[in-house]
Amino acid sequence: MSSYIWRDGAFIPCTPPADPCTVADSWRHSAGRTHGLHLHLERFESAAGTLPAGFVPAMLELLSGGELFPRIALITGELYLDIRPAPAPRAHTRLTYVKAPDPRVQPLVKGPDLPALAAYRSQYQESGTDDTAIVDAHGAIAETTTGALIAWDGDTFLLPTGVHLPSVTLRQVLDRCKDLRISTAQRPLTPALAAEYPLWFINSLHGISPVSSIHTPHGSITPPPHPAAASWQNWWWRGFSPAGAGEHCT
């Protein structure tokens, strides 16, 4: 990982600070291109304030080809950039489901809860699973520690009822639903629902990753597959093509 601090209109290599983030945002940078970067910057600026002139072009100059997972952060009033290697995208996601206290303090802002979410995974996540669900008082999943969660009831796109981070990837999916005139609804995403309906994990690192299993204290649940999952996955990854990324190529 390479870390930089923004000083006097330029990025300067630095040691990552130990202080927690006030605000952060991250995304996949694939083969020199991004997907939905303007949405990530919009979300970041909504909490951190407007980025300084030159910040984004200078950042893109530092992002080479290959698979990267850059993160920008506001920490103790300073702007930082971490350039990290991206893991291979998950074709499927295995979840841990546990009824435990919600670790989030600021669920609508990405960044300040990152240490608590990491501790939550460390405490509760079962070996062999990829992420851990965050569950409300009624047992419904609001989101996972690293992404959004949605389901399908036939041709209806189901959103969770709980409080969750405004997900950039979910916003992209919802925009496509609108374009395709797919109806949406809110419903508690419980283990009982997951046993009957397809469930998708969504974030900007892995794209659309169907949930293949949910490991609960009472056994494993296997959500049924969605017949159009591969088509939706391919659609999302096309966002990294020249036509999809356009001005954000490095």
Side-chain angles (χ1 to χ4, degrees), residues 132-196:
T132 305
I134 298 172
V135 178
D136 67 18
H138 305 288
I141 303 172
E143 60 183 348
T144 76
T145 67
T146 65
L149 208 64
I150 62 91
W152 288 91
D153 180 358
D155 294 329
T156 300
F157 187 83
L158 301 180
L159 294 161
T161 53
V163 177
H164 54 275
L165 184 74
S167 164
V168 166
T169 311
L170 178 56
R171 179 173 168 180
Q172 293 169 325
V173 170
L174 285 171
D175 285 344
R176 190 176 193 230
C177 285
K178 183 177 180 180
D179 291 341
L180 297 177
R181 298 184 179 180
I182 293 172
S183 62
T184 62
Q186 279 192 308
R187 197 174 300 175
L189 303 187
T190 61
L193 181 141
E196 298 184 24

Side-chain angles (χ1 to χ4, degrees), residues 57-99:
M59 174 186 72
L60 292 175
E61 285 292 327
L62 291 171
L63 300 179
S64 62
E67 298 298 312
L68 301 175
F69 188 35
R71 179 176 67 189
I72 55 176
L74 178 66
I75 304 174
T76 61
E78 302 269 19
L79 289 167
Y80 290 86
L81 168 66
D82 292 329
I83 302 178
R84 306 167 294 179
R90 291 197 302 264
H92 298 276
T93 292
R94 300 159 297 179
L95 287 181
T96 293
Y97 175 93
V98 60
K99 290 185 178 180

Side-chain angles (χ1 to χ4, degrees), residues 96-99 126 191 214-220:
T96 293
Y97 175 93
V98 60
K99 290 185 178 180
E126 288 192 25
I214 303 177
H215 296 262
T216 80
H218 308 293
S220 183

